[in-house]
């Protein structure tokens, strides 16, 4: 005894620290093992993951498969609307349908540009979200980088600017 406190032999203190560190390491390893068995599936607007799923091949590739499906559908729509412009849902569609084929081509080229831009926006958005979901799953965190949630808004603004070119091309063709 040293003063009012009991002094443990050096070896017992060392053993206690080893056991304490072993316990902390085991808890951390268990946390990482559990974190690696689940992947984020949804996050709220603040970037906080609020839905998790078991790590399966399908869940791991759900976003890339969804992106590929949407991009494929956009390409099909682009091909179909080039042949059948009445399928388009744009302002003043009646003007487009009435235009002679030679004037319609310029407008449909702008529609194709918009479909390509939409495919890029979808691909980038889904890719960024997938990247963040993988990062969160690997690190065992629960929060996405907020830029991943904001970036699609800016990409969408760019898409709207491309879409506005359709109306301009339609007005130009109608005046010709």
């Amino acid at each position: 005894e040293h003063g009012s406190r009991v002094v443990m032999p050096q070896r017992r203190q060392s053993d206690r620290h080893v056991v304490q560190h072993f316990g902390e390491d085991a808890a951390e390893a268990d946390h990482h093992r559990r974190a690696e068995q689940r992947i984020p599936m949804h996050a709220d607007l603040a970037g906080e993951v609020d839905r998790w799923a078991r790590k399966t091949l399908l869940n791991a590739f759900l976003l890339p498969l969804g992106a590929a499906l949407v991009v494929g559908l956009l390409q099909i729509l682009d091909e179909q609307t080039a042949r059948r412009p009445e399928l388009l849902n744009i302002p003043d569609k009646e003007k487009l349908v009435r235009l002679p084929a030679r004037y319609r081509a310029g407008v449909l080229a702008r529609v194709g540009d918009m479909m390509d831009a939409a495919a890029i926006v979808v691909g980038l958005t889904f890719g960024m979200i997938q990247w963040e979901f993988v990062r969160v799953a690997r690190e065992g965190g629960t929060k996405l980088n907020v830029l991943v949630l904001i970036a699609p808004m800016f990409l969408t603004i760019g898409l709207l600017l491309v879409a506005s070119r359709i109306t301009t091309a339609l007005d130009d063709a109608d005046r010709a």
Side-chain angles (χ1 to χ4, degrees):
E1 198 168 312
H2 185 63
S4 64
R5 61 173 228 225
V6 175
V7 177
M8 298 177 97
Q10 187 65 28
R11 181 171 157 75
R12 285 182 83 192
Q13 282 184 339
S14 176
D15 289 346
R16 188 178 74 207
H17 288 295
V18 168
V19 169
Q20 180 181 357
H21 287 297
F22 179 76
E24 290 169 358
D25 290 345
E28 185 176 337
D30 183 56
H31 169 74
H32 284 295
R33 182 186 58 76
R34 278 186 280 133
E36 290 173 359
Q37 292 176 351
R38 63 185 192 150
I39 57 174
M41 293 302 286
H42 187 268
D44 62 20
L45 290 176
E48 195 68 35
V49 176
D50 57 7
R51 205 167 310 137
W52 296 85
R54 279 183 320 115
K55 186 176 181 182
T56 65
L57 192 59
L58 177 62
N59 287 341
F61 287 100
L62 204 52
L63 277 172
L65 289 172
L69 179 67
V70 171
V71 168
L73 286 173
L74 286 169
Q75 293 303 310
I76 290 169
L77 282 172
D78 185 26
E79 291 172 14
Q80 290 300 313
T81 57
R83 282 185 250 144
R84 297 184 54 207
E86 67 274 5
L87 295 176
L88 281 171
N89 185 14
I90 61 171
D92 296 326
K93 175 172 67 172
E94 299 78 27
K95 274 191 209 177
L96 176 65
V97 174
R98 285 193 315 258
L99 284 174
R102 68 176 191 254
Y103 295 118
R104 199 182 300 161
V107 178
L108 293 176
R110 298 298 71 79
V111 170
D113 292 347
M114 190 201 64
M115 296 288 191
D116 291 343
I120 291 168
V121 167
V122 167
L124 285 173
T125 300
F126 279 50
M128 287 185 301
I129 293 170
Q130 178 74 10
W131 181 272
E132 271 301 289
F133 278 179
V134 168
R135 184 192 63 77
V136 166
R138 283 191 175 155
E139 293 176 3
T142 61
K143 185 113 173 138
L144 299 179
N145 184 332
V146 121
L147 292 176
V148 170
L149 304 171
I150 295 172
M153 289 184 257
F154 290 109
L155 292 171
T156 302
I157 290 169
L159 180 60
L160 293 174
L161 292 173
V162 172
S164 71
R165 294 178 62 203
I166 295 171
T167 306
T168 303
L170 182 56
D171 290 342
D172 292 346
D174 191 44
R175 281 189 292 249

